[in-house]
Amino acid sequence: MSKEAKLELEGKTFTLPTVVGTEGERAVDVSSLRANTGYITLDDGYGNTGSCVSKVTFIDGDQAFCVTAVFRLKNSPKIQFH
């Protein structure tokens, strides 16, 4: 798979990076779209949009599915609770 996508707007071509999620889903990273083009995206109902990049959580709203890594902070030697 290509690591970039091309978007043509008003006769100009913009390059956007692509990413692959933990469940193999592919996405176009549009985080720089507004700054580079002045355009935003529209995803009515938020059905085709990933909300963030996370190394510890995966959420599939359509399937009511959430996988998360759980960390026991109280056992971490770098964190002190007072």
Side-chain angles (χ1 to χ4, degrees):
M1 180 174 103
S2 173
K3 300 217 186 247
E4 61 186 28
K6 304 273 185 201
L7 175 66
E8 187 174 324
L9 293 169
E10 300 176 356
K12 296 179 184 175
T13 301
F14 300 91
T15 302
L16 300 165
T18 61
V19 296
V20 178
T22 55
E23 298 293 311
E25 66 279 18
R26 297 176 294 174
V28 177
D29 180 352
V30 295
S31 59
S32 65
L33 184 67
R34 186 178 211 161
N36 292 336
T37 69
Y39 279 78
I40 61 170
T41 62
L42 173 64
D43 181 9
D44 190 27
Y46 206 59
N48 295 298
T49 300
S51 60
C52 66
V53 175
S54 174
K55 300 212 184 275
V56 296
T57 304
F58 171 76
I59 298 172
D60 184 335
D62 290 336
Q63 301 295 319
F65 180 72
C66 176
V67 175
T68 186
V70 178
F71 296 96
R72 293 184 169 217
L73 297 178
K74 68 180 181 179
N75 295 332
S76 174
K78 295 181 182 180
I79 299 174
Q80 295 180 356
F81 291 91
H82 300 280

